[in-house]
Amino acid sequence: MLNRVWPVFFLLAFASCIWQAIMGHPEVLASAVEACFKTAKTSVEIALGLTGVLCFWLGLFQIAEKSGLTDRLAWVLAPLFRRLMPEVPAGHPAIGSVTMNMAANMLGLDNAATPLGLKAMKDLQSLNPHPDTATNAQVLFLVLNTSSITLIPVSVFVYRAQLGAPDPASVFLPILLATSVGTMTGLMAVAWVQKLKLWDRVVFAYLAAFLVMMAGMVSLVIGLPPEALGQRSSLIGNLAIFGIIVLFLLAGWRKQVPLYDSFIVGAKQGFEVAVNLIPFLVAMLVAIAMFRASGILDVLLGGLASGFAWMGLNTEFVPALPTAIMKSFSGSGARAMMIETMQTYGVDSFPARVAAIVQGSSETTFYVLAVYFGSVGIRHERQALACGLLADLASVIAAIAVAYWFFY
């Protein structure tokens, strides 16, 4: 997808600059070229600036894996997936790999989540009577994977901190609420299509516990004036982050994990991850910067704003829509859109906060579908794409609504 989308940014920017030069505004060409070189330098600075935080969190995640926290969370989730995937026999390894992947996603263990997800898809494929067509279990797994709740949206916090946000965790609760809406929408959509029995007492118990947890989160902020919502979210987010750090360390200590050595092993990956980000950031940020400098992005956003204004809606969220649109196609593209929005409008501006919430609450549906289904040779995804995109749409709408609630 990006092989088609990426060059379009440059081609449209070039055409716009040539047209404006012909119309008597040759300075646009100079602005576009300047944006190219300036943004390329900024991209490298952003990536290298992430190294320290990435080292710290990857080190902690290594301790979490070694301590068995992922295994414990998978054990808690296993009864739920045995009911949501009735065609998977009891005791089949697919249930274990599915729950391990979900647990890794919830804990933000990206490096562990992807290989576990590929293994889960392979295990589910072993039960597939039609190898080129997704089974009900594979459809449900993919939709939950693309919309799964991330309890620790570290990457969003990291980028906000790198770009100067005084309180990077202020978007924690809005992200949790928005991603919960996306996950529940995806689950309900698949359940409706597959006629799953969500009123099974075990499934209902899990859903009720989830709703109680979310109601508890909402109760902490309900009734607060707008200026206090962000502060309360910040308090909850910072407390959650500090608590998770302590939890990881205590779990490792209880299991007699060599904490310092394990942390170092994980932290060594931080520099590699940061350096590997550089080509992706340079490619996308330069393309978007030239696209904006040419004036096309502003024209498109202005058109969208006019449409929403005609509908009687507040339009301050519109600059965050490029992140929302790109998110379903490309994680790196959406990340670049989010960063560009933060740089253009300010890291704590309303559009930047909406973009951050969108980035933390939705997933790259097309990419995950291509990788997971492609790894086992599935060509007919059935309702997986439609349900996944519906979950994405729900999380974006929820992200915008929650942002107005908390920050407007």
PDB file of all heavy atoms in Angstrom, residues 32 51 75 218 238 322 349 395 403:
ATOM      1  N   ALA A  32       8.916  24.257  -0.375  1.00  0.00           N
ATOM      2  CA  ALA A  32       8.823  22.794  -0.411  1.00  0.00           C
ATOM      3  C   ALA A  32      10.197  22.151  -0.298  1.00  0.00           C
ATOM      4  O   ALA A  32      10.392  21.175   0.435  1.00  0.00           O
ATOM      5  CB  ALA A  32       8.122  22.342  -1.690  1.00  0.00           C
ATOM      6  N   THR A  51      15.840   7.180  21.998  1.00  0.00           N
ATOM      7  CA  THR A  51      16.650   6.034  22.394  1.00  0.00           C
ATOM      8  C   THR A  51      16.561   5.735  23.879  1.00  0.00           C
ATOM      9  O   THR A  51      16.353   4.585  24.290  1.00  0.00           O
ATOM     10  CB  THR A  51      18.126   6.267  22.001  1.00  0.00           C
ATOM     11  OG1 THR A  51      18.194   6.545  20.604  1.00  0.00           O
ATOM     12  CG2 THR A  51      18.962   5.037  22.312  1.00  0.00           C
ATOM     13  N   TRP A  75      -3.340 -16.936  31.052  1.00  0.00           N
ATOM     14  CA  TRP A  75      -4.113 -17.909  31.833  1.00  0.00           C
ATOM     15  C   TRP A  75      -5.468 -17.331  32.236  1.00  0.00           C
ATOM     16  O   TRP A  75      -6.485 -18.029  32.220  1.00  0.00           O
ATOM     17  CB  TRP A  75      -3.303 -18.304  33.070  1.00  0.00           C
ATOM     18  CG  TRP A  75      -4.012 -19.251  33.983  1.00  0.00           C
ATOM     19  CD1 TRP A  75      -4.143 -20.606  33.846  1.00  0.00           C
ATOM     20  CD2 TRP A  75      -4.715 -18.904  35.194  1.00  0.00           C
ATOM     21  NE1 TRP A  75      -4.879 -21.131  34.891  1.00  0.00           N
ATOM     22  CE2 TRP A  75      -5.238 -20.108  35.731  1.00  0.00           C
ATOM     23  CE3 TRP A  75      -4.939 -17.702  35.867  1.00  0.00           C
ATOM     24  CZ2 TRP A  75      -5.981 -20.122  36.913  1.00  0.00           C
ATOM     25  CZ3 TRP A  75      -5.673 -17.726  37.041  1.00  0.00           C
ATOM     26  CH2 TRP A  75      -6.189 -18.918  37.559  1.00  0.00           C
ATOM     27  N   VAL A 218     -14.436   5.859  34.353  1.00  0.00           N
ATOM     28  CA  VAL A 218     -15.252   7.024  34.035  1.00  0.00           C
ATOM     29  C   VAL A 218     -15.701   7.730  35.315  1.00  0.00           C
ATOM     30  O   VAL A 218     -15.772   8.962  35.377  1.00  0.00           O
ATOM     31  CB  VAL A 218     -16.474   6.610  33.186  1.00  0.00           C
ATOM     32  CG1 VAL A 218     -17.434   7.785  33.009  1.00  0.00           C
ATOM     33  CG2 VAL A 218     -16.014   6.105  31.814  1.00  0.00           C
ATOM     34  N   ASN A 238      -0.101   8.725  35.128  1.00  0.00           N
ATOM     35  CA  ASN A 238       1.206   8.664  35.783  1.00  0.00           C
ATOM     36  C   ASN A 238       1.227   7.618  36.891  1.00  0.00           C
ATOM     37  O   ASN A 238       2.229   6.909  37.074  1.00  0.00           O
ATOM     38  CB  ASN A 238       1.567  10.041  36.348  1.00  0.00           C
ATOM     39  CG  ASN A 238       1.927  11.031  35.257  1.00  0.00           C
ATOM     40  OD1 ASN A 238       2.597  10.685  34.286  1.00  0.00           O
ATOM     41  ND2 ASN A 238       1.477  12.266  35.389  1.00  0.00           N
ATOM     42  N   PRO A 322      -5.769  13.240   9.056  1.00  0.00           N
ATOM     43  CA  PRO A 322      -4.776  12.460   8.299  1.00  0.00           C
ATOM     44  C   PRO A 322      -4.210  11.281   9.083  1.00  0.00           C
ATOM     45  O   PRO A 322      -3.973  10.210   8.523  1.00  0.00           O
ATOM     46  CB  PRO A 322      -3.694  13.504   7.984  1.00  0.00           C
ATOM     47  CG  PRO A 322      -4.438  14.793   7.915  1.00  0.00           C
ATOM     48  CD  PRO A 322      -5.493  14.686   8.983  1.00  0.00           C
ATOM     49  N   SER A 349      -1.608  20.980  21.536  1.00  0.00           N
ATOM     50  CA  SER A 349      -2.764  21.585  20.881  1.00  0.00           C
ATOM     51  C   SER A 349      -3.886  20.548  20.805  1.00  0.00           C
ATOM     52  O   SER A 349      -3.660  19.336  20.932  1.00  0.00           O
ATOM     53  CB  SER A 349      -2.398  22.043  19.472  1.00  0.00           C
ATOM     54  OG  SER A 349      -2.066  20.928  18.663  1.00  0.00           O
ATOM     55  N   SER A 395     -13.251   3.489  16.992  1.00  0.00           N
ATOM     56  CA  SER A 395     -12.208   4.020  17.869  1.00  0.00           C
ATOM     57  C   SER A 395     -11.857   5.460  17.499  1.00  0.00           C
ATOM     58  O   SER A 395     -11.576   6.282  18.375  1.00  0.00           O
ATOM     59  CB  SER A 395     -10.961   3.137  17.823  1.00  0.00           C
ATOM     60  OG  SER A 395     -10.353   3.164  16.544  1.00  0.00           O
ATOM     61  N   ALA A 403     -11.708  13.326  23.256  1.00  0.00           N
ATOM     62  CA  ALA A 403     -10.829  14.492  23.253  1.00  0.00           C
ATOM     63  C   ALA A 403     -11.613  15.769  23.543  1.00  0.00           C
ATOM     64  O   ALA A 403     -11.149  16.632  24.306  1.00  0.00           O
ATOM     65  CB  ALA A 403     -10.105  14.611  21.908  1.00  0.00           C
TER      66      ALA A 403
END
